[in-house]
Amino acid sequence: MSGPVERDRQAAAKTEVVAQPVREGSGRQAPPSPALPIEGSSQRREGREIHRGSLLVANFASAFESLWANRLRSLLTTLGVVIGVAAVIAAMTLTQGASVLIQARLSVLGTNTLLIVPGAATSSGAFSSLGSQQSLTQGDADALASIPHVVQVSPVLSLGAQVIYGSQNWNTRIQGVYPGYRQIQGWEIAGGRWLNAHDELTGLPVAVLGQVVANSLFGPSGTNPVGQTIRIGTQTFRVVGVLQPKGSFGAFSQDDVVFVPFTAALIRLKNSSYVDQIQVLVDKPEHVNTVQRAVDATLLKRHRISAGSPADFQIRNANQLLQTAQQATQTLTLLLVGIAGISLTVGGIGIMNIMLVSVTERTREIGIRMAVGARRRDIRNQFLIEALTLSSLGGILGIVLGLLAGWLMTTNFGVPFVPQPLSILLAFGVSALVGVTFGFYPAVRAARLDPIIALRTE
């Protein structure tokens, strides 16, 4: 009995095994294996990525082909962007170079110097330029020397005069100073010596020449300036030293100067009761603010100025001068960048205008592309790529021209050429943003065209 039952079970099992493929091949779809959906999804994803990549390449190729077909028009369209980017790069290069030069020049003075200048004179309530009021005296300078932490003090008596040696002459500035002025300003001697206490005490007619003056007077003859006699105005002076060059600040040369003892300048060149400025050297930078307050109090007392009344002098330290110079360069930079921004805006309007013209000219082409399966976003992307290409090419040309213009200007003005990578990247990014911004409307307009109406356009 067990035999027939076992045979029936085996037959049923065989029938089920044979019927399984039949059911899988019937109208019902067999359940897929676990690996098949993953593999098929991966293949479809890779196919879509390849399709998108090839479509993007095709859009770029079509954009370049269209721009190249109208290359002169494309070049003229980018001029606004080129000029704007070039102006930004040139302006920032020039102002950055000027800022570096100012910092270098002021660093020579150090952070522990004070500059005291007369105030501004008033006439009928109107203020003149700073330094126009005569208020500082040699006695003021001598009084400041007793303030704690003050290392050196020197009054400065300035005038312009013609310096003559033989058949050579040169117009320069003359400065009468104390011997401590060399330490305050950090001058180095190239030959001979600096002014000493005996020269100042006796008012000896001796002079120390800047490098520009020495080369102008003695360069043609090749004569050693030290020991030679020169004439300043109507007075004769003996050259006792020549200074190491310090360089130029724009059109102003620090080496175009002649230093003489303060007493000699006062007696022989400029008989005045007042001095043009006073310079103070402090022992340490951390004492500068303390000394500045003491100088202010001393001068107010000597000039009999009550508390709360405006002073007839101004005190500046090197840090304040540096901050003032940096603020001036930043203001100039903002002004020039603002002007360049206007040029970029004009360039962007030009790109929008030419893209609208391009959409009108290629209406039938747009209709044909839509008819053969192009999607609206494909049309939009093509025109956006064209606008982006125009602005990017303009940005690249503008960077090249801006660096060239910046180099020429910095060389002409005698400031360092310091290109800033950040400003270059910023200018290029702005130019690309201009292309996308002003090219978006024409691109959307092209994408919204009715293909049937577009195909009817001749």
Side-chain angles (χ1 to χ4, degrees):
M1 189 138 193
S2 59
V5 172
E6 185 65 26
R7 285 195 297 270
D8 291 340
R9 287 178 179 175
Q10 293 177 358
K14 290 179 181 179
T15 304
E16 184 176 354
V17 171
V18 172
Q20 182 68 26
V22 174
R23 286 196 299 269
E24 290 178 359
S26 63
R28 295 180 182 178
Q29 186 176 358
S33 61
L36 288 178
I38 298 175
E39 182 178 359
S41 175
S42 176
Q43 291 175 351
R44 287 193 297 272
R45 190 180 303 112
E46 290 177 358
R48 285 196 298 269
E49 290 176 355
I50 294 174
H51 176 68
R52 290 195 191 103
S54 61
L55 187 60
L56 185 62
V57 172
N59 280 335
F60 269 104
S62 177
F64 277 107
E65 181 181 353
S66 174
L67 295 176
W68 183 254
N70 301 282
R71 46 189 176 274
L72 180 59
R73 185 175 70 180
S74 301
L75 178 62
L76 295 176
T77 302
T78 60
L79 278 182
V81 176
V82 171
I83 294 173
V85 172
V88 170
I89 299 296
M92 298 192 73
T93 301
L94 179 61
T95 53
Q96 183 65 27
S99 178
V100 170
L101 182 63
I102 291 171
Q103 292 180 20
R105 294 291 180 260
L106 292 179
S107 65
V108 174
L109 298 176
T111 56
N112 54 341
T113 58
L114 295 175
L115 174 66
I116 308 164
V117 295
T122 59
S123 177
S124 302
F127 285 89
S128 303
S129 60
L130 188 65
S132 57
Q133 181 181 11
Q134 292 183 325
S135 59
L136 300 177
T137 65
Q138 183 181 6
D140 292 335
D142 295 336
L144 300 181
S146 60
I147 294 177
H149 305 297
V150 171
V151 177
Q152 294 287 354
V153 175
S154 175
V156 179
L157 200 61
S158 300
L159 68 148
Q162 186 180 54
V163 183
I164 302 172
Y165 171 75
S167 60
Q168 303 296 324
N169 64 85
W170 186 256
N171 286 315
T172 186
R173 72 182 189 279
I174 315 297
Q175 291 193 328
V177 295
Y178 280 0
Y181 188 81
R182 175 191 172 188
Q183 185 179 356
I184 297 173
Q185 287 288 317
W187 283 101
E188 296 294 336
I189 298 296
R193 65 174 178 85
W194 178 253
L195 309 174
N196 58 37
H198 177 70
D199 299 332
E200 173 59 33
L201 185 62
T202 58
L204 287 179
V206 294
V208 178
L209 308 183
Q211 196 66 231
V212 170
V213 179
N215 292 337
S216 301
L217 296 180
F218 300 95
S221 62
T223 306
N224 184 4
V226 178
Q228 304 300 320
T229 300
I230 61 174
R231 194 166 77 248
I232 302 177
T234 60
Q235 300 293 321
T236 58
F237 283 76
R238 182 171 56 89
V239 178
V240 295
V242 178
L243 298 169
Q244 291 279 6
K246 271 192 174 183
S248 301
F249 177 65
F252 174 75
S253 175
Q254 297 182 92
D255 304 312
D256 192 1
V257 64
V258 175
F259 292 108
V260 299
F262 181 85
T263 304
L266 189 64
I267 296 173
R268 298 171 179 269
L269 301 176
K270 186 179 180 180
N271 188 8
S272 173
S273 302
Y274 299 95
V275 300
D276 297 296
Q277 60 180 255
I278 300 173
Q279 295 195 17
V280 178
L281 179 64
V282 185
D283 56 359
K284 296 180 181 179
E286 54 265 29
H287 295 151
V288 168
N289 291 333
T290 302
V291 173
Q292 183 169 347
R293 288 192 292 269
V295 168
D296 184 68
T298 301
L299 292 180
L300 287 176
K301 183 179 180 180
R302 285 184 55 85
H303 295 186
R304 296 182 176 84
I305 298 175
S306 58
S309 301
D312 57 358
F313 59 89
Q314 287 196 10
I315 307 173
R316 295 180 178 178
N317 59 50
N319 290 330
Q320 291 174 332
L321 294 175
L322 182 59
Q323 291 174 0
T324 302
Q326 289 176 340
Q327 290 175 356
T329 54
Q330 289 174 358
T331 302
L332 180 61
T333 301
L334 290 176
L335 176 63
L336 295 176
V337 170
I339 296 173
I342 296 174
S343 179
L344 279 173
T345 304
V346 173
I349 294 173
I351 290 177
M352 176 184 286
N353 181 46
I354 206 64
M355 293 307 299
L356 288 173
V357 172
S358 181
V359 170
T360 303
E361 291 177 346
R362 296 158 61 188
T363 302
R364 184 172 179 81
E365 173 194 335
I366 295 171
I368 294 175
R369 291 193 63 190
M370 287 183 172
V372 297
R375 294 166 295 182
R376 294 187 183 275
R377 63 182 180 184
D378 298 329
I379 304 298
R380 181 199 63 199
N381 292 342
Q382 179 184 352
F383 282 91
L384 269 180
I385 289 172
E386 289 186 19
L388 180 61
T389 303
L390 276 174
S391 59
S392 299
L393 288 176
I396 294 173
L397 290 175
I399 289 172
V400 174
L401 291 178
L403 290 175
L404 179 60
W407 178 77
L408 291 174
M409 287 191 296
T410 53
T411 302
N412 184 52
F413 288 113
V415 300
F417 177 62
V418 189
Q420 292 293 310
L422 181 61
S423 65
I424 294 174
L425 293 176
L426 180 62
F428 181 79
V430 170
S431 67
L433 181 63
V434 165
V436 173
T437 303
F438 287 91
F440 186 76
Y441 172 70
V444 170
R445 181 174 176 177
R448 289 181 178 177
L449 287 176
D450 190 328
I452 298 176
I453 298 176
L455 284 171
R456 291 177 181 175
T457 304
E458 294 295 337

